[in-house]
Short mmCIF file of all heavy atoms in Angstrom, two decimals:
data_model
loop_
_atom_site.label_atom_id
_atom_site.label_comp_id
_atom_site.label_asym_id
_atom_site.label_seq_id
_atom_site.Cartn_x
_atom_site.Cartn_y
_atom_site.Cartn_z
N ARG A 183 17.68 -3.07 -18.77
CA ARG A 183 16.81 -3.74 -17.78
C ARG A 183 17.27 -5.16 -17.52
O ARG A 183 17.30 -5.59 -16.34
CB ARG A 183 15.38 -3.71 -18.27
CG ARG A 183 14.34 -4.24 -17.25
CD ARG A 183 12.94 -4.22 -17.81
NE ARG A 183 12.52 -2.83 -18.17
CZ ARG A 183 12.30 -2.43 -19.41
NH1 ARG A 183 12.45 -3.32 -20.42
NH2 ARG A 183 11.92 -1.22 -19.67
N GLU A 184 17.70 -5.81 -18.54
CA GLU A 184 18.17 -7.21 -18.39
C GLU A 184 19.48 -7.25 -17.56
O GLU A 184 19.65 -8.08 -16.67
CB GLU A 184 18.44 -7.84 -19.75
CG GLU A 184 18.64 -9.35 -19.74
CD GLU A 184 17.30 -10.09 -19.70
OE1 GLU A 184 16.21 -9.45 -19.63
OE2 GLU A 184 17.35 -11.33 -19.69
N ALA A 185 20.35 -6.28 -17.79
CA ALA A 185 21.62 -6.20 -17.05
C ALA A 185 21.33 -5.92 -15.56
O ALA A 185 21.98 -6.46 -14.69
CB ALA A 185 22.50 -5.10 -17.65
N ALA A 186 20.37 -5.02 -15.31
CA ALA A 186 19.97 -4.73 -13.94
C ALA A 186 19.46 -5.96 -13.23
O ALA A 186 19.71 -6.23 -12.04
CB ALA A 186 18.95 -3.59 -13.91
N THR A 187 18.68 -6.77 -13.96
CA THR A 187 18.15 -7.99 -13.40
C THR A 187 19.27 -8.94 -13.04
O THR A 187 19.27 -9.62 -11.99
CB THR A 187 17.17 -8.70 -14.38
OG1 THR A 187 16.14 -7.79 -14.70
CG2 THR A 187 16.63 -9.95 -13.81
N VAL A 188 20.30 -9.04 -13.92
CA VAL A 188 21.45 -9.88 -13.63
C VAL A 188 22.17 -9.43 -12.37
O VAL A 188 22.48 -10.23 -11.48
CB VAL A 188 22.42 -9.87 -14.86
CG1 VAL A 188 23.73 -10.53 -14.47
CG2 VAL A 188 21.79 -10.60 -16.02
N VAL A 189 22.48 -8.16 -12.31
CA VAL A 189 23.20 -7.63 -11.15
C VAL A 189 22.44 -7.86 -9.86
O VAL A 189 23.01 -8.22 -8.84
CB VAL A 189 23.54 -6.15 -11.35
CG1 VAL A 189 24.10 -5.51 -10.09
CG2 VAL A 189 24.49 -5.94 -12.52
N SER A 190 21.14 -7.62 -9.89
CA SER A 190 20.36 -7.81 -8.64
C SER A 190 20.25 -9.24 -8.21
O SER A 190 19.98 -9.51 -7.04
CB SER A 190 18.92 -7.22 -8.87
OG SER A 190 18.24 -7.97 -9.88
N ALA A 191 20.53 -10.17 -9.17
CA ALA A 191 20.48 -11.59 -8.79
C ALA A 191 21.81 -12.09 -8.24
O ALA A 191 21.90 -13.22 -7.74
CB ALA A 191 20.09 -12.42 -10.03
N LEU A 192 22.88 -11.29 -8.31
CA LEU A 192 24.15 -11.75 -7.87
C LEU A 192 24.22 -11.77 -6.32
O LEU A 192 23.77 -10.83 -5.67
CB LEU A 192 25.28 -10.78 -8.35
CG LEU A 192 25.48 -10.68 -9.90
CD1 LEU A 192 26.55 -9.66 -10.20
CD2 LEU A 192 25.83 -12.03 -10.50
N PRO A 193 24.79 -12.84 -5.75
CA PRO A 193 25.04 -12.82 -4.31
C PRO A 193 25.98 -11.67 -3.92
O PRO A 193 26.82 -11.27 -4.74
CB PRO A 193 25.67 -14.19 -4.09
CG PRO A 193 25.37 -14.99 -5.28
CD PRO A 193 25.25 -14.06 -6.41
N ASP A 194 25.82 -11.18 -2.73
CA ASP A 194 26.63 -10.01 -2.31
C ASP A 194 28.16 -10.22 -2.49
O ASP A 194 28.86 -9.35 -2.95
CB ASP A 194 26.32 -9.69 -0.85
CG ASP A 194 24.94 -9.06 -0.68
OD1 ASP A 194 24.32 -8.69 -1.70
OD2 ASP A 194 24.38 -9.06 0.43
N ASP A 195 28.62 -11.41 -2.09
CA ASP A 195 30.08 -11.65 -2.19
C ASP A 195 30.56 -11.69 -3.63
O ASP A 195 31.72 -11.33 -3.89
CB ASP A 195 30.42 -12.96 -1.49
CG ASP A 195 29.77 -14.20 -2.10
OD1 ASP A 195 28.68 -14.02 -2.72
OD2 ASP A 195 30.30 -15.28 -1.93
N LEU A 196 29.69 -12.06 -4.56
CA LEU A 196 30.07 -12.04 -5.98
C LEU A 196 29.91 -10.64 -6.56
O LEU A 196 30.79 -10.19 -7.32
CB LEU A 196 29.20 -13.03 -6.76
CG LEU A 196 29.48 -13.14 -8.25
CD1 LEU A 196 30.95 -13.55 -8.51
CD2 LEU A 196 28.52 -14.17 -8.94
N ALA A 197 28.86 -9.94 -6.18
CA ALA A 197 28.62 -8.60 -6.71
C ALA A 197 29.75 -7.65 -6.35
O ALA A 197 30.15 -6.81 -7.18
CB ALA A 197 27.31 -8.02 -6.16
N THR A 198 30.32 -7.79 -5.18
CA THR A 198 31.40 -6.87 -4.75
C THR A 198 32.71 -7.16 -5.54
O THR A 198 33.59 -6.34 -5.52
CB THR A 198 31.67 -7.00 -3.25
OG1 THR A 198 31.96 -8.38 -2.95
CG2 THR A 198 30.46 -6.55 -2.45
N ARG A 199 32.78 -8.34 -6.19
CA ARG A 199 34.00 -8.66 -6.98
C ARG A 199 33.85 -8.25 -8.43
O ARG A 199 34.80 -8.39 -9.22
CB ARG A 199 34.22 -10.17 -6.88
CG ARG A 199 34.52 -10.64 -5.45
CD ARG A 199 34.24 -12.14 -5.24
NE ARG A 199 35.11 -12.98 -6.03
CZ ARG A 199 34.93 -14.29 -6.16
NH1 ARG A 199 33.93 -14.87 -5.54
NH2 ARG A 199 35.77 -15.00 -6.86
N VAL A 200 32.68 -7.72 -8.79
CA VAL A 200 32.44 -7.29 -10.19
C VAL A 200 32.82 -5.85 -10.34
O VAL A 200 32.38 -4.97 -9.62
CB VAL A 200 30.96 -7.47 -10.55
CG1 VAL A 200 30.69 -6.94 -11.98
CG2 VAL A 200 30.58 -8.98 -10.47
N ASP A 201 33.71 -5.58 -11.31
CA ASP A 201 34.10 -4.17 -11.58
C ASP A 201 33.07 -3.49 -12.43
O ASP A 201 32.59 -2.41 -12.09
CB ASP A 201 35.44 -4.17 -12.31
CG ASP A 201 35.91 -2.76 -12.63
OD1 ASP A 201 36.28 -2.04 -11.69
OD2 ASP A 201 35.82 -2.36 -13.83
N HIS A 202 32.65 -4.12 -13.53
CA HIS A 202 31.60 -3.58 -14.34
C HIS A 202 30.95 -4.66 -15.17
O HIS A 202 31.42 -5.81 -15.24
CB HIS A 202 32.11 -2.47 -15.27
CG HIS A 202 33.11 -2.92 -16.28
ND1 HIS A 202 34.47 -3.02 -16.05
CD2 HIS A 202 32.95 -3.33 -17.60
CE1 HIS A 202 35.09 -3.47 -17.14
NE2 HIS A 202 34.20 -3.63 -18.08
N VAL A 203 29.81 -4.31 -15.73
CA VAL A 203 29.01 -5.25 -16.56
C VAL A 203 28.93 -4.65 -17.98
O VAL A 203 28.42 -3.52 -18.15
CB VAL A 203 27.60 -5.45 -15.98
CG1 VAL A 203 26.81 -6.40 -16.85
CG2 VAL A 203 27.70 -5.95 -14.53
N GLU A 204 29.40 -5.40 -18.96
CA GLU A 204 29.32 -4.93 -20.33
C GLU A 204 28.06 -5.52 -20.97
O GLU A 204 27.80 -6.71 -20.89
CB GLU A 204 30.54 -5.39 -21.13
CG GLU A 204 31.85 -4.72 -20.61
CD GLU A 204 33.08 -5.14 -21.42
OE1 GLU A 204 32.95 -6.10 -22.23
OE2 GLU A 204 34.16 -4.57 -21.20
N VAL A 205 27.29 -4.62 -21.60
CA VAL A 205 26.01 -5.05 -22.18
C VAL A 205 26.00 -4.71 -23.67
O VAL A 205 26.13 -3.57 -24.07
CB VAL A 205 24.84 -4.28 -21.48
CG1 VAL A 205 23.50 -4.80 -22.02
CG2 VAL A 205 24.93 -4.41 -19.96
N THR A 206 25.88 -5.76 -24.47
CA THR A 206 25.76 -5.61 -25.88
C THR A 206 24.33 -5.71 -26.33
O THR A 206 23.77 -4.85 -27.01
CB THR A 206 26.62 -6.67 -26.62
OG1 THR A 206 27.98 -6.58 -26.15
CG2 THR A 206 26.64 -6.41 -28.12
N THR A 207 23.70 -6.83 -25.99
CA THR A 207 22.27 -7.08 -26.23
C THR A 207 21.68 -7.72 -24.99
O THR A 207 22.42 -7.95 -24.01
CB THR A 207 22.06 -7.97 -27.48
OG1 THR A 207 22.63 -9.25 -27.19
CG2 THR A 207 22.71 -7.40 -28.74
N ILE A 208 20.39 -8.02 -25.05
CA ILE A 208 19.76 -8.64 -23.85
C ILE A 208 20.33 -9.98 -23.53
O ILE A 208 20.24 -10.44 -22.39
CB ILE A 208 18.24 -8.72 -24.03
CG1 ILE A 208 17.84 -9.56 -25.24
CG2 ILE A 208 17.61 -7.32 -24.14
CD1 ILE A 208 16.39 -9.84 -25.36
N ASP A 209 20.89 -10.69 -24.51
CA ASP A 209 21.48 -12.00 -24.20
C ASP A 209 23.01 -12.05 -24.39
O ASP A 209 23.58 -13.11 -24.51
CB ASP A 209 20.80 -13.10 -25.05
CG ASP A 209 20.84 -12.77 -26.52
OD1 ASP A 209 21.46 -11.77 -26.90
OD2 ASP A 209 20.25 -13.56 -27.32
N GLN A 210 23.62 -10.85 -24.42
CA GLN A 210 25.07 -10.75 -24.46
C GLN A 210 25.54 -9.83 -23.37
O GLN A 210 25.89 -8.65 -23.59
CB GLN A 210 25.50 -10.21 -25.84
CG GLN A 210 25.35 -11.22 -27.00
CD GLN A 210 26.38 -12.37 -26.86
OE1 GLN A 210 27.57 -12.12 -26.54
NE2 GLN A 210 25.95 -13.57 -27.12
N ILE A 211 25.49 -10.38 -22.17
CA ILE A 211 25.91 -9.64 -20.97
C ILE A 211 27.12 -10.28 -20.38
O ILE A 211 27.15 -11.49 -20.11
CB ILE A 211 24.77 -9.60 -19.91
CG1 ILE A 211 23.52 -8.88 -20.53
CG2 ILE A 211 25.17 -8.89 -18.61
CD1 ILE A 211 22.26 -8.94 -19.68
N THR A 212 28.15 -9.48 -20.11
CA THR A 212 29.43 -10.02 -19.61
C THR A 212 29.83 -9.28 -18.33
O THR A 212 29.79 -8.07 -18.24
CB THR A 212 30.51 -9.81 -20.65
OG1 THR A 212 30.18 -10.51 -21.86
CG2 THR A 212 31.86 -10.37 -20.18
N LEU A 213 30.21 -10.12 -17.32
CA LEU A 213 30.70 -9.53 -16.09
C LEU A 213 32.25 -9.43 -16.21
O LEU A 213 32.89 -10.39 -16.60
CB LEU A 213 30.40 -10.46 -14.90
CG LEU A 213 28.93 -10.93 -14.68
CD1 LEU A 213 28.87 -11.71 -13.36
CD2 LEU A 213 28.02 -9.73 -14.66
N VAL A 214 32.77 -8.27 -15.89
CA VAL A 214 34.23 -8.09 -15.84
C VAL A 214 34.64 -7.95 -14.35
O VAL A 214 34.19 -6.98 -13.73
CB VAL A 214 34.67 -6.87 -16.65
CG1 VAL A 214 36.18 -6.72 -16.58
CG2 VAL A 214 34.22 -7.05 -18.12
N MET A 215 35.38 -8.94 -13.86
CA MET A 215 35.70 -8.93 -12.46
C MET A 215 36.83 -7.89 -12.15
O MET A 215 37.46 -7.37 -13.08
CB MET A 215 36.19 -10.34 -12.05
CG MET A 215 35.27 -11.48 -12.53
SD MET A 215 33.54 -11.28 -12.05
CE MET A 215 33.67 -11.58 -10.28
N ARG A 216 36.99 -7.61 -10.87
CA ARG A 216 38.01 -6.60 -10.53
C ARG A 216 39.41 -7.08 -10.84
O ARG A 216 40.35 -6.24 -10.96
CB ARG A 216 37.84 -6.28 -9.04
CG ARG A 216 36.49 -5.63 -8.71
CD ARG A 216 36.46 -5.09 -7.29
NE ARG A 216 35.11 -4.57 -6.99
CZ ARG A 216 34.67 -3.38 -7.37
NH1 ARG A 216 35.48 -2.54 -8.02
NH2 ARG A 216 33.46 -2.95 -7.06
N ASP A 217 39.59 -8.38 -10.95
CA ASP A 217 40.94 -8.90 -11.38
C ASP A 217 41.00 -9.07 -12.90
O ASP A 217 41.88 -9.73 -13.42
CB ASP A 217 41.23 -10.22 -10.66
CG ASP A 217 40.20 -11.29 -10.96
OD1 ASP A 217 39.36 -11.08 -11.79
OD2 ASP A 217 40.25 -12.33 -10.24
N GLN A 218 40.01 -8.50 -13.61
CA GLN A 218 39.97 -8.47 -15.09
C GLN A 218 39.53 -9.77 -15.73
O GLN A 218 39.51 -9.89 -16.94
CB GLN A 218 41.28 -7.99 -15.70
CG GLN A 218 41.68 -6.57 -15.29
CD GLN A 218 40.55 -5.57 -15.57
OE1 GLN A 218 40.12 -5.45 -16.68
NE2 GLN A 218 40.13 -4.86 -14.51
N ARG A 219 39.23 -10.80 -14.97
CA ARG A 219 38.66 -11.99 -15.54
C ARG A 219 37.24 -11.69 -16.07
O ARG A 219 36.52 -10.87 -15.45
CB ARG A 219 38.64 -13.15 -14.54
CG ARG A 219 40.03 -13.69 -14.22
CD ARG A 219 39.95 -14.92 -13.36
NE ARG A 219 39.61 -14.65 -11.98
CZ ARG A 219 39.47 -15.59 -11.03
NH1 ARG A 219 39.68 -16.86 -11.34
NH2 ARG A 219 39.14 -15.25 -9.81
N GLN A 220 36.86 -12.32 -17.14
CA GLN A 220 35.57 -12.04 -17.75
C GLN A 220 34.65 -13.25 -17.68
O GLN A 220 35.12 -14.41 -17.81
CB GLN A 220 35.73 -11.62 -19.21
CG GLN A 220 36.51 -10.31 -19.40
CD GLN A 220 36.60 -9.88 -20.84
OE1 GLN A 220 35.76 -10.30 -21.67
NE2 GLN A 220 37.51 -8.98 -21.16
N VAL A 221 33.35 -12.98 -17.47
CA VAL A 221 32.37 -14.05 -17.39
C VAL A 221 31.24 -13.71 -18.35
O VAL A 221 30.50 -12.75 -18.14
CB VAL A 221 31.84 -14.21 -15.96
CG1 VAL A 221 30.77 -15.34 -15.96
CG2 VAL A 221 32.95 -14.49 -14.97
N LEU A 222 31.06 -14.50 -19.40
CA LEU A 222 29.96 -14.34 -20.30
C LEU A 222 28.72 -14.90 -19.62
O LEU A 222 28.59 -16.10 -19.38
CB LEU A 222 30.19 -15.03 -21.64
CG LEU A 222 29.00 -14.97 -22.62
CD1 LEU A 222 28.65 -13.53 -22.98
CD2 LEU A 222 29.29 -15.76 -23.88
N TRP A 223 27.78 -14.03 -19.29
CA TRP A 223 26.61 -14.41 -18.51
C TRP A 223 25.45 -14.79 -19.46
O TRP A 223 24.65 -15.63 -19.14
CB TRP A 223 26.18 -13.28 -17.61
CG TRP A 223 25.27 -13.65 -16.51
CD1 TRP A 223 23.88 -13.63 -16.52
CD2 TRP A 223 25.63 -14.07 -15.18
NE1 TRP A 223 23.36 -14.01 -15.30
CE2 TRP A 223 24.46 -14.29 -14.47
CE3 TRP A 223 26.84 -14.26 -14.54
CZ2 TRP A 223 24.45 -14.71 -13.14
CZ3 TRP A 223 26.86 -14.67 -13.24
CH2 TRP A 223 25.66 -14.89 -12.54
N GLY A 224 25.39 -14.15 -20.56
CA GLY A 224 24.25 -14.34 -21.50
C GLY A 224 23.09 -13.44 -21.08
O GLY A 224 23.26 -12.24 -20.93
N SER A 225 21.92 -14.04 -20.92
CA SER A 225 20.76 -13.24 -20.51
C SER A 225 20.54 -13.42 -18.99
O SER A 225 21.34 -14.11 -18.31
CB SER A 225 19.50 -13.74 -21.25
OG SER A 225 19.15 -15.05 -20.80
N ALA A 226 19.45 -12.82 -18.50
CA ALA A 226 19.18 -12.96 -17.06
C ALA A 226 18.55 -14.26 -16.65
O ALA A 226 18.41 -14.55 -15.46
CB ALA A 226 18.24 -11.81 -16.64
N GLU A 227 18.24 -15.10 -17.61
CA GLU A 227 17.57 -16.40 -17.30
C GLU A 227 18.55 -17.30 -16.49
O GLU A 227 19.74 -17.30 -16.74
CB GLU A 227 17.18 -17.12 -18.59
CG GLU A 227 16.04 -16.43 -19.35
CD GLU A 227 15.61 -17.19 -20.57
OE1 GLU A 227 16.17 -18.28 -20.76
OE2 GLU A 227 14.74 -16.71 -21.29
N GLU A 228 18.00 -17.98 -15.50
CA GLU A 228 18.74 -18.92 -14.66
C GLU A 228 19.92 -18.25 -13.96
O GLU A 228 20.95 -18.84 -13.70
CB GLU A 228 19.28 -20.11 -15.48
CG GLU A 228 18.17 -20.95 -16.12
CD GLU A 228 18.72 -22.17 -16.81
OE1 GLU A 228 19.24 -22.03 -17.95
OE2 GLU A 228 18.66 -23.29 -16.22
N SER A 229 19.71 -16.97 -13.61
CA SER A 229 20.84 -16.21 -12.94
C SER A 229 21.26 -16.84 -11.65
O SER A 229 22.46 -16.82 -11.29
CB SER A 229 20.43 -14.74 -12.72
OG SER A 229 20.43 -14.02 -13.96
N GLU A 230 20.33 -17.38 -10.85
CA GLU A 230 20.71 -18.00 -9.60
C GLU A 230 21.64 -19.16 -9.81
O GLU A 230 22.67 -19.31 -9.13
CB GLU A 230 19.46 -18.42 -8.84
CG GLU A 230 19.75 -18.98 -7.47
CD GLU A 230 18.46 -19.29 -6.67
OE1 GLU A 230 17.39 -18.90 -7.10
OE2 GLU A 230 18.57 -20.04 -5.66
N LEU A 231 21.32 -20.01 -10.77
CA LEU A 231 22.18 -21.18 -11.07
C LEU A 231 23.49 -20.72 -11.62
O LEU A 231 24.57 -21.25 -11.29
CB LEU A 231 21.44 -22.09 -12.07
CG LEU A 231 22.23 -23.31 -12.56
CD1 LEU A 231 22.68 -24.17 -11.39
CD2 LEU A 231 21.42 -24.13 -13.56
N LYS A 232 23.48 -19.72 -12.51
CA LYS A 232 24.71 -19.20 -13.07
C LYS A 232 25.65 -18.65 -12.00
O LYS A 232 26.85 -18.83 -12.04
CB LYS A 232 24.39 -18.11 -14.09
CG LYS A 232 23.76 -18.59 -15.35
CD LYS A 232 23.36 -17.45 -16.29
CE LYS A 232 22.65 -18.00 -17.56
NZ LYS A 232 22.22 -16.90 -18.45
N ALA A 233 25.06 -17.99 -11.02
CA ALA A 233 25.89 -17.44 -9.94
C ALA A 233 26.59 -18.57 -9.18
O ALA A 233 27.77 -18.45 -8.77
CB ALA A 233 25.01 -16.62 -8.98
N GLN A 234 25.88 -19.68 -8.91
CA GLN A 234 26.50 -20.80 -8.25
C GLN A 234 27.65 -21.40 -9.06
O GLN A 234 28.71 -21.72 -8.55
CB GLN A 234 25.45 -21.86 -7.96
CG GLN A 234 24.34 -21.42 -7.01
CD GLN A 234 23.24 -22.47 -6.91
OE1 GLN A 234 23.35 -23.57 -7.46
NE2 GLN A 234 22.16 -22.10 -6.21
N VAL A 235 27.43 -21.52 -10.38
CA VAL A 235 28.42 -22.08 -11.26
C VAL A 235 29.64 -21.22 -11.33
O VAL A 235 30.79 -21.65 -11.25
CB VAL A 235 27.84 -22.32 -12.66
CG1 VAL A 235 28.93 -22.75 -13.63
CG2 VAL A 235 26.72 -23.42 -12.65
N VAL A 236 29.42 -19.89 -11.46
CA VAL A 236 30.53 -18.91 -11.53
C VAL A 236 31.36 -18.98 -10.25
O VAL A 236 32.61 -18.97 -10.29
CB VAL A 236 30.00 -17.49 -11.77
CG1 VAL A 236 31.11 -16.46 -11.53
CG2 VAL A 236 29.53 -17.37 -13.20
N ASP A 237 30.71 -19.02 -9.13
CA ASP A 237 31.41 -19.02 -7.84
C ASP A 237 32.34 -20.24 -7.77
O ASP A 237 33.51 -20.12 -7.31
CB ASP A 237 30.39 -19.06 -6.72
CG ASP A 237 31.02 -18.75 -5.36
OD1 ASP A 237 31.73 -17.69 -5.33
OD2 ASP A 237 30.82 -19.50 -4.40
N ARG A 238 31.87 -21.38 -8.23
CA ARG A 238 32.72 -22.58 -8.20
C ARG A 238 33.86 -22.50 -9.22
O ARG A 238 35.01 -22.85 -8.93
CB ARG A 238 31.88 -23.82 -8.44
CG ARG A 238 30.94 -24.18 -7.31
CD ARG A 238 30.42 -25.63 -7.44
NE ARG A 238 29.66 -25.79 -8.68
CZ ARG A 238 28.34 -25.68 -8.79
NH1 ARG A 238 27.65 -25.35 -7.67
NH2 ARG A 238 27.72 -25.87 -9.90
N LEU A 239 33.59 -21.95 -10.41
CA LEU A 239 34.57 -21.88 -11.45
C LEU A 239 35.70 -20.90 -11.06
O LEU A 239 36.88 -21.21 -11.28
CB LEU A 239 33.93 -21.41 -12.76
CG LEU A 239 33.24 -22.46 -13.64
CD1 LEU A 239 32.60 -21.81 -14.84
CD2 LEU A 239 34.22 -23.53 -14.08
N LEU A 240 35.32 -19.80 -10.54
CA LEU A 240 36.36 -18.77 -10.18
C LEU A 240 37.31 -19.34 -9.11
O LEU A 240 38.51 -18.98 -9.10
CB LEU A 240 35.69 -17.49 -9.66
CG LEU A 240 34.93 -16.66 -10.71
CD1 LEU A 240 34.22 -15.48 -10.04
CD2 LEU A 240 35.87 -16.15 -11.83
N ALA A 241 36.75 -20.15 -8.25
CA ALA A 241 37.58 -20.74 -7.15
C ALA A 241 38.42 -21.91 -7.67
O ALA A 241 39.55 -22.13 -7.20
CB ALA A 241 36.70 -21.17 -6.02
N ALA A 242 37.87 -22.71 -8.62
CA ALA A 242 38.55 -23.91 -9.04
C ALA A 242 39.42 -23.80 -10.23
O ALA A 242 40.39 -24.54 -10.40
CB ALA A 242 37.49 -25.03 -9.24
N GLN A 243 39.11 -22.86 -11.14
CA GLN A 243 39.80 -22.78 -12.40
C GLN A 243 40.41 -21.37 -12.60
O GLN A 243 39.69 -20.39 -12.58
CB GLN A 243 38.87 -23.09 -13.57
CG GLN A 243 38.21 -24.44 -13.51
CD GLN A 243 39.18 -25.57 -13.66
OE1 GLN A 243 40.30 -25.40 -14.23
NE2 GLN A 243 38.85 -26.78 -13.19
#
Side-chain angles (χ1 to χ4, degrees):
R183 186 180 301 113
E184 194 81 358
T187 302
V188 169
V189 171
S190 63
L192 297 178
D194 290 343
D195 61 335
L196 180 58
T198 56
R199 297 157 65 188
V200 176
D201 179 72
H202 65 273
V203 179
E204 294 181 351
V205 185
T206 305
T207 63
I208 59 173
D209 54 5
Q210 287 289 318
I211 297 172
T212 301
L213 309 184
V214 180
M215 312 306 290
R216 297 190 184 278
D217 59 9
Q218 298 307 304
R219 288 188 288 179
Q220 297 184 18
V221 180
L222 176 61
W223 199 269
S225 70
E227 293 182 4
E228 298 185 281
S229 284
E230 184 176 346
L231 177 57
K232 290 176 182 179
Q234 296 173 6
V235 172
V236 166
D237 194 49
R238 290 197 297 267
L239 278 177
L240 291 175
Q243 301 294 338

